[in-house]
């Protein structure tokens, strides 16, 4: 049994944002066992799973990624869409735009410390579209 | 309903290559709703989703990854298969060898600006095998 | 047909560890065709697929990732859980905590040189929980 829904996440600016509750609020009733697949329809943001407790993890993560792929590199040719655009594309490919999470006993089977993050890599982000597919 | 097919992508050299059309041409008819899983059976290349419009994104992406994991690092021990081999393994793990894409109304539900890339990390690549699994 | 099982991997220290056989030993009988999804319930380790032959690949991979995200960065705020903790979170997001692998003729359809790795990013790791979901 496959079900699918598509929705928008509210606008956020550059950063790693915990969105577990916002995602769960958009989902239909989950099957007893299966998989949830989340797919972000964009190329300058990403989805990941990381620590859901200390907000310092989120700010440090943003700093680490801003150093991993720096802006203003003299060799960039794709610069027309802003200094933050090409680094955002690279970070999106490093992190990835989709997640697959097991469903167990009708709930997402995340670890105790795991949460779902939207990684917004544009300085000023926009609404982001997600396709959620549930395989039961 | 699960279906599966295996095929080869034609040889390409180092770079980020847009392969959406080549992939779609290998797929059977898609179900109304479901998931397409693509799996690359190699350890020195990868699959990702990124911008399908400006070719500068693809050349900048290659440059960014060539700087992220440089060749000729004095601490490399795995050097027998060529200077490009160990960095290719690391880049493959950073990007990943599989993609899962939602199917909606019988078509891949990619964002407007999203395309499927083969990331060839060997200087001279070879034919690359893909397993495509469709869950309906 | 969906089946699911949850198990622990034995403790390992920092490094890239080949775990294909340990994973397969925990799986029930596989369907003829389908997908295996592996999900690691932690935020300072990861799962990836890479070369299963030369052990130098595994030690070089550890060195590459230790240089990609260095410890002791002066800008880190999340330092209470040890110097290796924040880099471990970042590496976990770069590599990812889940894998999806095709099943063909009742077996994992990996490439000849592909193996499943546990990437342990803590200096001293702990038992790691995995959820394995099989879609047939």
């Amino acid at each position: 049994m496959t079900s699918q829904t598509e929705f928008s996440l509210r606008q956020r600016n550059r950063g790693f944002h915990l969105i577990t509750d916002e995602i769960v609020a958009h989902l239909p009733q989950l099957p007893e066992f299966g998989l949830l697949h989340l797919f972000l329809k964009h190329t300058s943001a990403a989805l990941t799973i990381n620590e859901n407790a200390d907000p310092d993890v989120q700010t440090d993560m943003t700093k680490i990624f801003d150093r991993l792929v720096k802006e203003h590199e003299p060799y960039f040719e794709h610069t027309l869409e802003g200094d933050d655009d090409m680094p955002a594309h690279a970070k999106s490919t490093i992190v990835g735009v989709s997640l697959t999470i097991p469903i167990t006993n009708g709930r997402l089977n995340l670890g105790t410390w795991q949460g779902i993050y939207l990684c917004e890599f544009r300085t000023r982000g926009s609404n982001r579209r997600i396709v959620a597919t549930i395989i039961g």
Side-chain angles (χ1 to χ4, degrees), chain A residues 39-82:
Chain A
F39 186 82
L40 184 73
K41 298 175 75 173
H42 303 272
T43 62
S44 54
L47 296 174
T48 191
I49 286 175
N50 219 299
E51 218 217 61
N52 60 15
D54 183 353
D56 285 351
V57 171
Q58 295 163 47
T59 51
D60 280 359
M61 206 73 99
T62 306
K63 293 183 212 164
I64 288 171
F65 274 82
D66 283 351
R67 281 156 180 83
L68 204 59
V69 186
K70 296 197 181 70
E71 297 188 0
H72 308 290
E73 294 286 7
Y75 62 85
F76 285 165
E77 292 175 43
H78 180 80
T79 52
L80 268 180
E81 295 177 58

Side-chain angles (χ1 to χ4, degrees), chain A residues 10-17 45 62 84 118-128:
Chain A
R10 68 173 176 77
Q11 187 275 338
R12 287 166 173 93
N13 291 334
R14 190 190 304 210
F16 281 68
H17 305 281
T62 306
D84 58 335
L118 171 71
C119 315
E120 176 57 67
F121 295 128
R122 297 304 304 259
T123 304
R124 177 160 176 78
S126 47
N127 289 355
R128 298 298 196 175

Side-chain angles (χ1 to χ4, degrees), chain A residues 1-5 27-39 99-109 131-136:
Chain A
M1 200 210 63
T2 303
S3 70
Q4 199 174 66
T5 178
L27 300 179
Q29 202 184 336
L30 299 180
E32 203 61 1
F33 294 93
L35 293 174
L36 167 66
H37 178 255
L38 298 172
F39 186 82
L99 290 176
T100 308
I101 300 170
I103 297 166
T104 308
N105 298 323
R107 303 184 59 170
L108 297 187
N109 191 353
V131 184
T133 306
I134 295 159
I135 307 283

Side-chain angles (χ1 to χ4, degrees), chain A residues 79-95:
Chain A
T79 52
L80 268 180
E81 295 177 58
D83 291 329
D84 58 335
D85 191 59
M86 193 57 226
H89 288 311
K91 294 169 185 171
S92 175
T93 273
I94 292 170
V95 177

